[in-house]
PDB file of all heavy atoms in Angstrom:
ATOM      1  N   TYR A 615     -11.165  35.766  16.725  1.00 96.00           N
ATOM      2  CA  TYR A 615     -11.005  35.076  17.975  1.00 96.00           C
ATOM      3  C   TYR A 615     -11.613  33.609  17.773  1.00 96.00           C
ATOM      4  O   TYR A 615     -12.650  33.322  18.431  1.00 96.00           O
ATOM      5  CB  TYR A 615     -11.713  35.666  19.083  1.00 96.00           C
ATOM      6  CG  TYR A 615     -11.224  37.076  19.464  1.00 96.00           C
ATOM      7  CD1 TYR A 615     -12.036  38.144  19.744  1.00 96.00           C
ATOM      8  CD2 TYR A 615      -9.877  37.223  19.680  1.00 96.00           C
ATOM      9  CE1 TYR A 615     -11.539  39.356  20.152  1.00 96.00           C
ATOM     10  CE2 TYR A 615      -9.299  38.425  20.016  1.00 96.00           C
ATOM     11  CZ  TYR A 615     -10.062  39.561  20.277  1.00 96.00           C
ATOM     12  OH  TYR A 615      -9.629  40.704  20.663  1.00 96.00           O
ATOM     13  N   ASP A 650      13.976  21.619  43.208  1.00 95.00           N
ATOM     14  CA  ASP A 650      13.100  20.484  43.761  1.00 95.00           C
ATOM     15  C   ASP A 650      11.925  20.993  44.575  1.00 95.00           C
ATOM     16  O   ASP A 650      11.408  20.192  45.298  1.00 95.00           O
ATOM     17  CB  ASP A 650      13.834  19.376  44.405  1.00 95.00           C
ATOM     18  CG  ASP A 650      14.086  18.256  43.502  1.00 95.00           C
ATOM     19  OD1 ASP A 650      13.272  17.972  42.542  1.00 95.00           O
ATOM     20  OD2 ASP A 650      15.080  17.530  43.546  1.00 95.00           O
ATOM     21  N   LYS A 688     -18.153  26.248  18.499  1.00 93.00           N
ATOM     22  CA  LYS A 688     -17.326  27.387  18.954  1.00 93.00           C
ATOM     23  C   LYS A 688     -17.657  27.739  20.334  1.00 93.00           C
ATOM     24  O   LYS A 688     -16.709  28.118  21.158  1.00 93.00           O
ATOM     25  CB  LYS A 688     -17.544  28.544  17.886  1.00 93.00           C
ATOM     26  CG  LYS A 688     -16.318  29.212  17.594  1.00 93.00           C
ATOM     27  CD  LYS A 688     -16.469  30.230  16.465  1.00 93.00           C
ATOM     28  CE  LYS A 688     -17.825  30.185  15.823  1.00 93.00           C
ATOM     29  NZ  LYS A 688     -18.459  31.359  15.395  1.00 93.00           N
ATOM     30  N   TYR A 721       5.938  15.767  48.369  1.00 95.00           N
ATOM     31  CA  TYR A 721       5.652  15.512  49.711  1.00 95.00           C
ATOM     32  C   TYR A 721       4.182  15.111  49.838  1.00 95.00           C
ATOM     33  O   TYR A 721       3.329  15.754  49.330  1.00 95.00           O
ATOM     34  CB  TYR A 721       5.882  16.760  50.556  1.00 95.00           C
ATOM     35  CG  TYR A 721       7.255  16.926  51.199  1.00 95.00           C
ATOM     36  CD1 TYR A 721       8.234  16.229  50.677  1.00 95.00           C
ATOM     37  CD2 TYR A 721       7.445  17.684  52.318  1.00 95.00           C
ATOM     38  CE1 TYR A 721       9.518  16.289  51.196  1.00 95.00           C
ATOM     39  CE2 TYR A 721       8.630  17.707  52.937  1.00 95.00           C
ATOM     40  CZ  TYR A 721       9.767  17.139  52.419  1.00 95.00           C
ATOM     41  OH  TYR A 721      10.981  17.187  52.988  1.00 95.00           O
ATOM     42  N   ARG A 766     -21.101  20.837  12.487  1.00 90.00           N
ATOM     43  CA  ARG A 766     -21.535  21.461  11.109  1.00 90.00           C
ATOM     44  C   ARG A 766     -20.414  20.973  10.085  1.00 90.00           C
ATOM     45  O   ARG A 766     -19.282  21.069  10.412  1.00 90.00           O
ATOM     46  CB  ARG A 766     -21.531  22.989  11.203  1.00 90.00           C
ATOM     47  CG  ARG A 766     -22.738  23.525  12.053  1.00 90.00           C
ATOM     48  CD  ARG A 766     -24.097  23.473  11.358  1.00 90.00           C
ATOM     49  NE  ARG A 766     -24.092  24.392  10.285  1.00 90.00           N
ATOM     50  CZ  ARG A 766     -24.627  25.662  10.466  1.00 90.00           C
ATOM     51  NH1 ARG A 766     -25.052  25.983  11.603  1.00 90.00           N
ATOM     52  NH2 ARG A 766     -24.658  26.407   9.437  1.00 90.00           N
TER      53      ARG A 766
ATOM     54  N   LYS B 112     -25.931  30.171   9.891  1.00 66.00           N
ATOM     55  CA  LYS B 112     -24.676  30.842  10.285  1.00 66.00           C
ATOM     56  C   LYS B 112     -23.547  29.895   9.976  1.00 66.00           C
ATOM     57  O   LYS B 112     -23.628  28.695   9.944  1.00 66.00           O
ATOM     58  CB  LYS B 112     -24.676  31.094  11.742  1.00 66.00           C
ATOM     59  CG  LYS B 112     -24.188  32.427  12.153  1.00 66.00           C
ATOM     60  CD  LYS B 112     -24.233  32.584  13.705  1.00 66.00           C
ATOM     61  CE  LYS B 112     -23.438  31.474  14.242  1.00 66.00           C
ATOM     62  NZ  LYS B 112     -23.523  31.311  15.742  1.00 66.00           N
ATOM     63  N   ASP B 116     -17.041  31.137  11.151  1.00 86.00           N
ATOM     64  CA  ASP B 116     -16.909  32.599  11.236  1.00 86.00           C
ATOM     65  C   ASP B 116     -17.224  33.123  12.626  1.00 86.00           C
ATOM     66  O   ASP B 116     -18.106  32.695  13.247  1.00 86.00           O
ATOM     67  CB  ASP B 116     -18.019  33.221  10.223  1.00 86.00           C
ATOM     68  CG  ASP B 116     -17.374  34.253   9.337  1.00 86.00           C
ATOM     69  OD1 ASP B 116     -16.113  34.037   9.178  1.00 86.00           O
ATOM     70  OD2 ASP B 116     -18.047  35.097   8.895  1.00 86.00           O
ATOM     71  N   TYR B 168      18.297  37.433  44.040  1.00 96.00           N
ATOM     72  CA  TYR B 168      16.940  37.197  43.767  1.00 96.00           C
ATOM     73  C   TYR B 168      16.179  38.524  43.566  1.00 96.00           C
ATOM     74  O   TYR B 168      15.467  38.686  42.544  1.00 96.00           O
ATOM     75  CB  TYR B 168      16.256  36.479  44.930  1.00 96.00           C
ATOM     76  CG  TYR B 168      16.059  35.009  44.704  1.00 96.00           C
ATOM     77  CD1 TYR B 168      16.940  34.063  45.130  1.00 96.00           C
ATOM     78  CD2 TYR B 168      15.008  34.608  43.846  1.00 96.00           C
ATOM     79  CE1 TYR B 168      16.713  32.753  44.921  1.00 96.00           C
ATOM     80  CE2 TYR B 168      14.745  33.214  43.642  1.00 96.00           C
ATOM     81  CZ  TYR B 168      15.650  32.260  44.070  1.00 96.00           C
ATOM     82  OH  TYR B 168      15.442  31.029  43.738  1.00 96.00           O
ATOM     83  N   ALA B 190      -3.841  41.942  21.374  1.00 96.00           N
ATOM     84  CA  ALA B 190      -4.784  41.028  21.134  1.00 96.00           C
ATOM     85  C   ALA B 190      -6.211  41.531  21.183  1.00 96.00           C
ATOM     86  O   ALA B 190      -7.162  41.128  20.442  1.00 96.00           O
ATOM     87  CB  ALA B 190      -4.687  39.735  22.014  1.00 96.00           C
ATOM     88  N   CYS B 443      14.521  16.557  53.805  1.00 96.00           N
ATOM     89  CA  CYS B 443      14.934  15.887  52.728  1.00 96.00           C
ATOM     90  C   CYS B 443      14.175  16.460  51.395  1.00 96.00           C
ATOM     91  O   CYS B 443      12.915  16.633  51.529  1.00 96.00           O
ATOM     92  CB  CYS B 443      14.637  14.380  52.780  1.00 96.00           C
ATOM     93  SG  CYS B 443      15.160  13.472  51.252  1.00 96.00           S
ATOM     94  N   LYS B 445      14.669  15.209  48.110  1.00 95.00           N
ATOM     95  CA  LYS B 445      14.746  14.419  46.899  1.00 95.00           C
ATOM     96  C   LYS B 445      13.900  13.200  47.086  1.00 95.00           C
ATOM     97  O   LYS B 445      14.246  12.501  48.218  1.00 95.00           O
ATOM     98  CB  LYS B 445      16.215  14.040  46.514  1.00 95.00           C
ATOM     99  CG  LYS B 445      16.434  13.240  45.283  1.00 95.00           C
ATOM    100  CD  LYS B 445      15.968  13.893  44.057  1.00 95.00           C
ATOM    101  CE  LYS B 445      16.960  14.853  43.467  1.00 95.00           C
ATOM    102  NZ  LYS B 445      16.413  15.592  42.338  1.00 95.00           N
TER     103      LYS B 445
END
Side-chain angles (χ1 to χ4, degrees):
Chain A
Y615 297 135
D650 261 327
K688 221 169 357 147
Y721 263 25
R766 292 286 286 270
Chain B
K112 225 180 61 191
D116 232 27
Y168 256 100
C443 179
K445 181 63 80 189

